[in-house]
Amino acid sequence: MDWKTELSSRWAIAPVRSFSGGEIITAGFYHYKLRNRDTNDVCTIAFYGIGGGLSVVPAAYSENLRYYYKNLRSKRPTSFQDLNLRRAQLVIGSIQALSGQNASGFVLNILDGYSGYSKPLMVYKSISGSGDFGYEDSIGTPTAGIDIHDGLIHVKWDEVERGLPDHDDPIAPEWNDPVIPYEDPPAPPPRGKKKVRLEADVLFGFDRHDLRPEAISRLGAVAYEINKRTAPNVTIEGHADSTGRPGYNERLSRRRAEAVKNWFVSKGVYNAPRFSVVGKGEEEPVADNKTPAGRAQNRRVEITIE
């Protein structure tokens, strides 16, 4: 079967760039990377639309240099070819400061038809900001506004990434490289196991299991690594030092591991609802519990990615 028409219900999407202009009557384009989770092929898709809205300035442009994929499913099995020139609707609200820091929320609704009564084929919802799965670079003056667009999806066949084995951004060949006929790549070797250790004192306050704001950047890097995997198998372990009763330490370490999993689920990290959670308590120290430095090392969350 041709990769363009291969059907799937499992997809992942990531924003790339956006532009909107106008104040009452508005127009804009929004580019996304869309990944077929079954084949691991990636196409850039573009939404071009026109509609209405209110904004402080007449134009704004943003570009994301890192691709944070969010999992989504189509209502029925579909393909890249099915999405080309399909009608879509977009509602987006955004605010941008003079420093370039910004936040936005939007809903992209790809319809299964062209009438006003068409049901959605895919629905992508996102709330993001600078440093948290959001746009990294923004050009323009401070802005705030909301736009409602109706338009079409265009699949950019010249921006196709076939069967990515390990990363999202293959390196383009040099111009003097010889032209080699395309052949289907061999199946990628299985990924090795990766373990990430995060200090609990960075993630949580003393004797608490709610995440600190400082934890977001650390967990975001782990989420990015997980989303690069085609079929991630993740175990989250909470660990404690020997201060307090063993039963209490075990319950606290499990609640902390569950808080990390819930954050992954809230951010749409692929397969996050199936992540395993374990509370180890004080059973597996990595340092001496007799010293403050050793106890700090033992208070941790370990994330194993396979």
Side-chain angles (χ1 to χ4, degrees), residues 46-116:
F47 169 84
Y48 298 97
I50 189 169
L54 297 172
S55 61
V56 175
V57 296
Y61 175 77
S62 296
E63 178 155 352
N64 188 347
L65 302 180
R66 295 183 296 176
Y67 308 135
Y68 291 115
Y69 283 96
K70 185 172 182 179
N71 191 40
L72 79 160
R73 285 185 174 271
S74 56
K75 303 297 183 180
R76 60 172 174 80
T78 188
S79 67
F80 287 115
Q81 185 67 65
D82 289 337
L83 296 172
N84 195 31
L85 302 182
R86 185 165 293 278
R87 183 185 170 204
Q89 297 170 334
L90 181 70
V91 179
I92 183 168
S94 62
I95 184 169
Q96 177 179 304
L98 182 63
S99 64
Q101 297 294 306
N102 62 82
S104 64
F106 58 87
V107 177
L108 176 65
N109 189 4
I110 303 176
L111 302 178
D112 203 8
Y114 293 91
S115 72

Side-chain angles (χ1 to χ4, degrees), residues 18-32:
S18 68
F19 170 80
S20 61
E23 297 196 40
I24 304 299
I25 303 299
T26 62
F29 68 80
Y30 303 84
H31 290 185
Y32 306 88

Side-chain angles (χ1 to χ4, degrees), residues 10-13 35 37-38 69-73 222-236 260-277 303-306:
R10 305 189 313 136
W11 301 84
I13 193 169
R35 167 172 282 175
R37 281 287 189 188
D38 291 316
Y69 283 96
K70 185 172 182 179
N71 191 40
L72 79 160
R73 285 185 174 271
V222 180
Y224 182 60
E225 175 64 29
I226 294 172
N227 274 341
K228 292 195 295 183
R229 308 263 175 152
T230 303
N233 182 21
V234 177
T235 301
I236 305 171
V260 172
K261 174 182 175 177
N262 291 338
W263 187 88
F264 286 143
V265 172
S266 71
K267 293 301 179 182
V269 175
Y270 182 55
N271 213 33
R274 298 185 179 182
F275 290 177
S276 299
V277 171
I303 303 172
T304 303
I305 309 168
E306 297 183 78

